[in-house]
Amino acid sequence: MSEPRSPRLAVLIDADNASAKIADGLFEEIAKIGEASVRRIYGDFSHARSRSWAEVLSKHAIIPQQQFAYTTGKNASDITLVIDAMDLLHSGLFDGFCLVSSDSDFTRLAARIREQGVDVYGFGEEKTPESFRNACRKFIYTEILREGSEESTPSAKTRKKPLQSPNKVIPLIKKAITELESDDGWVTLSGVGKQLSNLNSDFDSRNYGFPKLSDLVRKTGAFDIETPKGGAMRIRLKPTGK
């Protein structure tokens, strides 16, 4: 019996709003989701801003879609990306789309694809507007992808600070635990992780400097943790006064 095929993904990159330095980390992350069946990038590669992508296109088998800027202020690249996305969506061949951009102009595109019952994974910088982040099922900050690549991973001494302080995640985890509802207060860590993603499309423990949610939870010191014999790790709010 053959193994089930990985989800087919269409990866569409906005070269004007994404750095070529994320390429390695980007496709490593996408490989965790599924198979990048379509890999296209849109931009004016005669412009210095997009030219750096030309050096990594062949390595990752990305197909460039050249769009010359004939008129100032008109973004032909965005329009072409949207047209291609809709063509690919209506082909019915894809299980998900990866939109790589920090531009809020793609908010409606992401929402339209999800209306069709297809997942959208966004990739952009921390400055990406909330509207676009929330329109995606999952949104991943490209800053953590850049740090995760082999060529750009700094030593422990020079590693950049987390995008957010671990203490800022405490209210989010408390809310997730409360919404999961439990007779004894204990909930599975995996359930908390899923609920956090449902509450915040851009939630990722790596944003707080930890590769695993369990490490992040321990760092906060705000929750009790246990791993029952033969069971999954569980957490709960620390009793008042503890």
Side-chain angles (χ1 to χ4, degrees):
M1 184 175 180
S2 60
E3 295 184 2
R5 179 167 184 162
S6 298
R8 292 172 58 92
L9 305 173
V11 182
L12 307 178
I13 305 171
D14 174 12
D16 294 336
N17 285 283
S19 169
K21 293 180 181 179
I22 70 168
D24 291 345
L26 172 67
F27 283 99
E28 287 175 8
E29 192 70 24
I30 290 174
K32 299 175 185 177
I33 304 171
E35 174 189 344
S37 302
V38 167
R39 308 179 182 202
R40 299 179 186 174
I41 187 168
Y42 304 78
D44 182 357
F45 300 100
S46 65
H47 194 288
R49 182 173 53 187
S50 303
R51 201 176 298 152
S52 59
W53 276 100
E55 301 174 4
V56 299
L57 296 181
S58 59
K59 178 179 180 180
H60 296 287
I62 308 171
I63 305 301
Q65 305 294 317
Q66 170 66 33
Q67 296 296 320
F68 291 104
Y70 294 112
T71 304
T72 302
K74 300 295 183 181
N75 198 333
S77 297
D78 287 4
I79 296 173
T80 305
L81 189 157
V82 171
I83 292 173
D84 279 4
M86 296 310 294
D87 285 344
L88 293 169
L89 174 65
H90 291 300
S91 73
L93 298 175
F94 300 92
D95 304 298
F97 282 72
C98 297
L99 303 181
V100 186
S101 179
S102 301
D103 192 341
S104 63
D105 288 348
F106 294 113
T107 299
R108 185 67 187 99
L109 172 62
R112 179 64 185 84
I113 293 173
R114 294 193 69 189
E115 287 172 2
Q116 201 70 21
V118 178
D119 289 331
V120 176
Y121 302 91
F123 297 82
E125 296 179 358
E126 191 179 10
K127 68 180 182 181
T128 303
E130 185 179 25
S131 59
F132 181 34
R133 301 199 311 266
N134 289 339
C136 301
R137 175 188 173 185
K138 176 72 176 177
F139 193 90
I140 298 170
Y141 293 132
T142 53
E143 286 89 345
I144 63 176
L145 301 183
R146 188 179 302 187
E147 290 184 6
S149 64
E150 294 181 3
E151 295 181 359
S152 60
T153 300
S155 65
K157 293 182 179 180
T158 60
R159 183 175 293 278
K160 295 181 179 179
K161 293 181 180 180
L163 299 181
Q164 301 178 47
S165 167
N167 289 333
K168 289 187 176 182
V169 80
I170 294 176
L172 297 178
I173 296 178
K174 286 183 176 180
K175 183 176 182 180
I177 292 175
T178 301
E179 293 186 356
L180 287 174
E181 298 183 354
S182 171
D183 293 335
D184 59 3
W186 289 98
V187 295
T188 63
L189 184 65
S190 61
V192 171
K194 183 177 181 179
Q195 187 66 9
L196 287 170
S197 294
N198 290 337
L199 292 170
N200 303 275
S201 63
D202 59 352
F203 176 80
D204 194 312
S205 61
R206 291 172 296 180
N207 296 339
Y208 302 89
F210 294 89
K212 297 180 180 179
L213 178 58
S214 57
D215 295 333
L216 174 58
V217 172
R218 287 192 181 92
K219 176 62 177 179
T220 65
F223 307 93
D224 287 333
I225 305 173
E226 71 167 18
T227 305
K229 187 175 181 179
M233 181 178 289
R234 305 193 305 172
I235 69 171
R236 70 175 180 181
L237 300 176
K238 280 190 174 181
T240 304
K242 186 171 180 179

